[in-house]
Amino acid sequence: WPSIYVGIDVIVNQETPHLDKVSAPSLLDLLESLGTHDAQFHVLDFGSIFSYQLGTMIYLAGKLLHHSVPKWEKGESIALA
């Protein structure tokens, strides 16, 4: 099917501090939180911390902004990016 996305990643139970290597600097990446975890989403360049619960969707310039989901206490973390 046609898609507006360059690629789709499924990230399972990983701490992910990084910059995106594939995305274009002028585009936003969509991240969707799935699973049973109780986590936080950090945008390191701004020093911002967001709740990252089930169903959370975040649009982010992932090639330009360092971001991460640090270690969480319990549950399974699944993210579509």
Side-chain angles (χ1 to χ4, degrees), residues 38-59:
D38 184 17
Q40 296 179 330
F41 187 89
H42 293 206
V43 180
L44 306 174
D45 295 316
F46 296 142
S48 299
I49 299 173
F50 301 95
S51 176
Y52 199 50
Q53 306 301 317
L54 171 65
T56 300
M57 299 176 90
I58 296 174
Y59 285 93

Side-chain angles (χ1 to χ4, degrees), residues 1-77:
W1 77 85
S3 175
I4 61 171
Y5 300 104
V6 173
I8 298 174
D9 290 327
V10 178
I11 304 167
V12 179
N13 292 334
Q14 292 184 20
E15 295 180 53
T16 58
H18 70 281
L19 284 172
D20 296 341
K21 296 178 183 173
V22 177
S23 62
S26 61
L27 299 178
L28 296 177
D29 299 320
L30 170 62
L31 299 101
E32 181 177 5
S33 175
L34 305 170
T36 59
H37 64 287
D38 184 17
Q40 296 179 330
F41 187 89
H42 293 206
V43 180
L44 306 174
D45 295 316
F46 296 142
S48 299
I49 299 173
F50 301 95
S51 176
Y52 199 50
Q53 306 301 317
L54 171 65
T56 300
M57 299 176 90
I58 296 174
Y59 285 93
L60 173 84
K63 183 147 184 125
L64 302 176
L65 299 172
H66 285 89
H67 52 284
S68 71
V69 176
K71 185 83 174 142
W72 55 95
E73 292 297 317
K74 59 183 178 179
E76 303 293 323
S77 173

